[in-house]
Every structure is written in C-alpha cells, then in structure tokens.
Amino acid sequence: MTAPIIITADMGKADQAWANGLRRAHFPAERNHVDAHITLFHHLPPSHLPEIKSRLASLVQNYPAPTADLSDVMLLGKAVAFRVDSPELLSLRDELADAFRGLLIPQDQATPKLHITIQNKVEPPVAKALHAHLLESFRPRPLAISGLSAHYYRDGPWELIGRWSFRG
C-alpha cells in the first residue's frame, strides 16, 4: 500500500450520528466522502502499518475512554467546525506521537486543535452564515470518545484499516 494512513478518534454512536447529520446537511455533497471525524494524525507511512496497528491496540487496552467536551463553534474562513476539548485525548495522542517520532510530517509534529469539521471549502459568507446559525443554539456539552481508527487516505473516500475501542 502506498496511501498514507490517517488516525482518528471515534465518537460514540449518538454523537457520531449527530455530527454526520450536520455534515450531510452542510458539507458540499461533491466533497463529502467521509463521516465526521476527529483527526489525530494526517499522514503516517503505510510501511509502518504493523507497528501502527499494534500501538493503537495496546493504547486502547491500557486506557479507559478519554473525556471530551464540545466547547465552541469555530469559523475557519471557508469552514465551520466544533472545537473538541480533551486533555486526556491529547495526552494519548502525545504518547502515540512520541512512539511515531521520526515518522511524522510537520503538520503532525504540532499539537492539533481537535475539532469536528461539518462544513468545508465553501465561500466565506456561507461559512459565516452557518457559524452564526449554529452559535445561536450552541451550548457546550460532553462528547463521547469510544475508540481510535486507522484509515488509508485515497484522495476522496478513506479505506478503513481498523477500529479499536477503549477498554470499559
């Protein structure tokens, strides 16, 4: 395989359904190839797949699901996303980043601003309008994190490699 590997945090079923519904309603249909997700790593080398799978499996077996909250609606120019606050998830991601040192692209070397994108690559006034609309009813709330997933990135739809659920 030559496609890079993406690592995401999985949401609980109810939160995943909610985020997917918003994404279907607001993401340009011709670009909406994947479910809503929380990206932890954008580009790991496929040549390290056995190690990646082993580390993900080990990590979820050793830790309970991290706590997380949706804390804000973010306007990102031509995109709208929900900010995800989770020091526990970032700590687990840091543990993986240490293990993958030397394999990370510059984008993945920095600590990410965790988020769930529900609209992207639209004109700024369209994004501003959705942002304002979502802010009207937004209240911070818990977000369930159930596991980790690995996917091959294929310039559109992703190919699932595997899912690993946190213990408990």
Side-chain angles (χ1 to χ4, degrees):
M1 290 287 177
T2 58
I5 295 172
I6 298 171
I7 305 297
T8 62
D10 295 337
M11 292 174 260
K13 288 182 182 180
D15 288 325
Q16 185 69 57
W18 166 81
N20 280 345
L22 285 172
R23 194 170 166 100
R24 278 191 303 275
H26 301 292
F27 210 96
E30 69 278 4
R31 291 192 166 114
N32 193 13
H33 302 295
V34 300
D35 284 343
H37 55 277
I38 303 166
T39 302
L40 300 179
F41 295 95
H42 296 86
H43 190 286
L44 292 173
S47 58
H48 289 268
L49 181 60
E51 177 187 0
I52 292 166
K53 289 169 72 173
S54 175
R55 290 198 182 275
L56 293 176
S58 176
L59 192 70
V60 298
Q61 288 174 355
N62 291 322
Y63 294 98
T67 59
D69 293 296
L70 290 177
S71 63
D72 196 11
V73 183
M74 303 164 58
L75 178 60
L76 305 169
K78 295 182 173 188
V80 176
F82 287 96
R83 182 183 319 278
V84 176
D85 284 337
S86 179
E88 292 174 9
L89 183 56
L90 284 174
S91 178
L92 296 174
R93 190 230 177 248
D94 287 346
E95 188 173 324
L96 288 171
D98 285 344
F100 298 146
R101 189 178 315 276
L103 303 178
L104 302 179
I105 63 170
Q107 182 180 19
D108 286 335
Q109 291 173 11
T111 300
K113 292 179 172 78
L114 301 177
H115 62 279
I116 303 165
T117 303
I118 58 159
Q119 184 182 64
N120 198 5
K121 298 182 181 168
V122 298
E123 292 301 315
V126 174
K128 279 185 176 182
L130 178 60
H131 179 254
H133 172 73
L134 292 173
L135 275 177
E136 289 174 8
S137 61
F138 179 77
R139 300 290 175 268
R141 67 172 182 85
L143 176 74
I145 303 294
S146 60
L148 302 174
S149 290
H151 312 263
Y152 288 116
Y153 175 73
R154 301 208 183 277
D155 291 327
W158 297 352
E159 180 184 332
L160 180 66
I161 296 167
R163 285 194 163 87
W164 296 268
S165 297
F166 285 102
R167 68 170 193 198

